[in-house]
Amino acid sequence: MGPMPANRPPVPKALKILVAGAFGVGKTTLVGAVSEIYPLNLLGMTEDAPTPVDLGRITVDHDIVVYLFGAPELDHPTLPNPEQIWVMWDELATGALGAVVLADIHHLADCTVAVDYFRRLRIPFLVAVNSFDGKYYYSASQVRNAMDLDPFVPVVMCDPRDRHSVKGVLVSLVEHVIWTPRLPSWN
């Protein structure tokens, strides 16, 4: 097969970012705030029920497209089989650039499963503390200590409804990915 014709645009590079967090923390809202498409609610199938996976897209330029995947929560009240969700998380994590763990300041313990998951797979992540009400109750260092995060894991405040705020979170994640050495992992 010969070279691509000069007048044909190159195929953009696709990057994947995961958004994880507890049920009702604002993952769908965060994805929707920056997606250029209406966030798609894809249904992954567990043994007994469909499981929502949010999908959003950001075209950075003609060379780069970022896909945001809102991972299904393990604590969803209607999930009959959490083990199937782990399989879905493993599929979503394959090839991921990094992850945003969205946390509710009043329920930080609810996102420790996601934090432990990304640590184990050595996927760079940051914690974005949801500030729907615009108030910051604790500093980033207090959140880091409460969650027992490594000192290099960024903690940022975020209003998942605000496009500018979410863009800041994604920029912080990409900067973190750039400055974090990638260790070998299974994906």
Side-chain angles (χ1 to χ4, degrees):
M1 186 170 216
M4 187 181 298
N7 61 350
R8 187 168 184 179
V11 175
K13 293 176 183 74
L15 303 175
K16 182 194 303 185
I17 293 177
L18 303 181
V19 179
F23 178 70
V25 75
K27 297 181 303 292
T28 301
T29 302
L30 184 144
V31 170
V34 292
S35 179
E36 64 195 34
I37 61 171
Y38 187 78
L40 302 175
N41 189 278
L42 308 173
L43 293 177
M45 299 305 288
T46 63
E47 275 182 16
D48 302 316
T51 305
V53 176
D54 297 312
L55 172 65
R57 183 183 72 211
I58 304 167
T59 302
V60 177
D61 61 27
H62 67 280
D63 288 337
I64 301 172
V65 176
V66 178
Y67 291 96
L68 300 172
F69 287 87
E73 53 278 326
L74 295 165
D75 62 344
H76 193 285
T78 64
L79 290 181
N81 189 348
E83 290 178 17
Q84 292 294 324
I85 300 302
W86 284 117
V87 172
M88 192 178 301
W89 272 49
D90 290 343
E91 288 296 321
L92 288 172
T94 300
L97 176 71
V100 173
V101 177
L102 190 58
D104 179 339
I105 195 68
H106 303 292
H107 305 283
L108 291 176
D110 291 351
C111 63
T112 57
V113 172
V115 167
D116 291 343
Y117 179 82
F118 296 125
R119 273 184 185 149
R120 183 173 51 83
L121 292 184
R122 298 183 180 119
I123 294 174
F125 70 94
L126 61 70
V127 173
V129 179
N130 181 334
S131 61
F132 264 137
D133 58 9
K135 296 177 185 172
Y136 301 117
Y137 298 97
Y138 302 99
S139 69
S141 62
Q142 289 172 311
V143 171
R144 182 184 323 288
N145 289 338
M147 295 181 69
D148 194 30
L149 296 173
D150 294 319
F152 59 85
V153 174
V155 175
V156 297
M157 302 301 162
C158 171
D159 182 342
R161 302 167 297 181
D162 181 69
R163 181 177 181 83
H164 181 72
S165 181
V166 175
K167 285 170 66 174
V169 169
L170 297 176
V171 167
S172 294
L173 176 63
V174 170
E175 289 173 345
H176 177 57
V177 168
I178 290 170
W179 295 107
T180 301
R182 279 301 273 235
L183 301 171
S185 67
W186 63 268
N187 64 345

